[in-house]
Amino acid sequence: MCTCQNYLAGVVPVSAMPTWLKGLLHTTWKMGSGQLHYSVLEESQHGSFVGRIVQDLGLEVSELVPRMFRMLSKEEEDYFEVNLQNGILFVNSRIDREELCAKNADCVLHLEVIVEKPLKNL
C-alpha cells in the first residue's frame, strides 16, 4: 500500500493544516490497493496547484492521451482536473466545505483514476 502526502504548492505541509481545511484525494490500484492524499485549502481558486498526480501514480505524461486517462467523482461538480500536458492535478472549481461536508470534522472527496490500454483502475 502506498500513501503519498504532498505539500500544497510547496508551502503548507499536510500535517500542519487543520483538519477542517483539508480535502483529500483517494485512488485505488487494480493490483492491491493504495491511496494518494492531497490537501486542498477551502475556497481555493480555479487553477490552484494540488499535486503531481501523474508522477505520484508512476505514469508518464506522454501516456495520458493515448491511454485515455480520466478521473471520475461521485460529486456532481468536477472540483479537480488534470492538465494532460504536464500531469498536474489542479482545482477546477471553487470548493465550499460547508456545502460538501456540512458539520463533519473531516471533508474528503474521493476520485477514481482510470487509465486504459491496458486498462488500469487507479
Side-chain angles (χ1 to χ4, degrees):
M1 181 153 125
C2 169
T3 301
C4 306
Q5 294 189 341
N6 289 314
Y7 290 82
L8 178 63
V11 177
V12 181
V14 172
S15 59
M17 297 179 73
T19 303
W20 61 273
L21 284 178
K22 294 179 184 177
L24 298 176
L25 164 71
H26 296 271
T27 62
T28 356
W29 280 260
K30 186 176 181 186
M31 302 294 287
S33 66
Q35 297 179 342
L36 293 176
H37 298 262
Y38 297 99
S39 291
V40 179
L41 292 174
E42 180 180 6
E43 306 291 334
S44 292
Q45 298 299 311
H46 171 80
S48 297
F49 174 87
V50 176
R52 300 183 188 286
I53 191 169
V54 172
Q55 179 181 336
D56 294 342
L57 291 171
L59 298 171
E60 297 293 327
V61 173
S62 60
E63 297 178 85
L64 300 183
V65 173
R67 295 187 63 193
M68 299 170 52
F69 177 96
R70 62 190 181 277
M71 292 187 314
L72 302 175
S73 173
K74 294 179 182 176
E75 307 302 323
E76 291 180 20
E77 184 136 4
D78 292 329
Y79 290 107
F80 302 100
E81 190 172 323
V82 174
N83 180 322
L84 297 179
Q85 302 300 311
N86 60 21
I88 291 177
L89 178 68
F90 65 92
V91 174
N92 187 47
S93 178
R94 187 180 69 81
I95 300 167
D96 184 346
R97 189 203 179 289
E98 287 78 20
E99 181 181 308
L100 283 171
C101 302
K103 296 179 182 181
N104 295 333
D106 291 326
C107 188
V108 179
L109 301 175
H110 297 272
L111 298 176
E112 184 174 42
V113 174
I114 298 173
V115 181
E116 295 186 16
K117 299 178 185 175
L119 179 63
K120 286 187 182 178
N121 188 7
L122 304 171

